[in-house]
Amino acid sequence: MKGPLFYSKILLFGEYGIIKDSKGLSIPYNFYNGALKTDENPSQEAMKSNESLSRFVSYLREIDAGLVTFEIETLASDVEAGMYFDSSIPQGYGVGSSGALVAAIYDKYAHDKITVLENLTREKLLKLKVIFSEMESFFHGKSSGLDPLNSYLSIPILINSQDNIETAGIPAQQIDGKGAVFLLDSGIVGETAPMVHIFMENMKQEGFRSMLKDQFIKHTDACVDDFLKGDVKSLFKNTKQLSKVVLNHFKPMIPQQFHELWKKGIETNEYYLKLCGSGGGGYILGFTEDIDTARQSLKDYKLEVVYNF
């Protein structure tokens, strides 16, 4: 047995900000995907995934039935029979590994599920987000529900605020364009919960809160607007500012060995780096107006282009 594929995602803009109602823009990333599967001879990894699923089933039994109900006995017996999530999505890399799993479980086992084919009103999107938030919280404390939403719908999602989200059309890629969004592999696995904890602790300080509002959220919102309008010139101006703010105020979320590289991008204008997901490791997101120069400058690192301008 093998279920349908669910893809990874990239939150282009909005990490941390969306906790405090900044805008955000999330796009599916089809390079990685996962599906529910059973095998005759499961690998070690499959068995580990199966164990985690079995704990997830117990958690889903306790979810508020007014919110969502599942074919829980079918799910439990499938898991008992060895079902696991077969995924190429790296865990702890900020590209939504648990989100794809949540989407796959909802798709296969939820009663009265909201489907991609119906008219996706704002109410339906919000309801899905709340369900997914509840489901995904099993994996890392508090979840916004956006990763599974993106994976489930496989279309770009614009977050205007916590209770105002919509599907978005993004400008078509210019395949031969020199500008690019890319992923840089930090080679370290990031843990979401401790990073979010640091952020929440910082939020207790007045100075950090006003920096978030006056700088971080301001530039994040501008980046989202620029990207959707296809205003590349303004986008790079705002991304540079955002990269600076992150370097100055989110240092713990940037792996130590990338501090200099981050600074170099801002100083040379060859590329600008920002967090991908909660940071602390995993992927780092990069923006460049000239991908060849950026590749040359970052030749010691593993770089994957995800979007061309």
Side-chain angles (χ1 to χ4, degrees), residues 6 36 52-53 56 85 96-106 139 151:
F6 289 90
L36 293 167
S52 163
L53 273 180
F56 191 36
F85 191 59
S97 52
S98 55
L101 165 59
V102 164
I105 295 282
Y106 176 84
F139 295 97
S151 191

Side-chain angles (χ1 to χ4, degrees), residues 11 18 22-26 146 157-161 164-165:
L11 184 63
I18 52 177
S22 80
K23 287 190 178 186
L25 182 63
S26 185
L146 282 167
I157 291 166
L158 169 64
I159 302 114
N160 293 304
S161 64
N164 179 352
I165 53 178

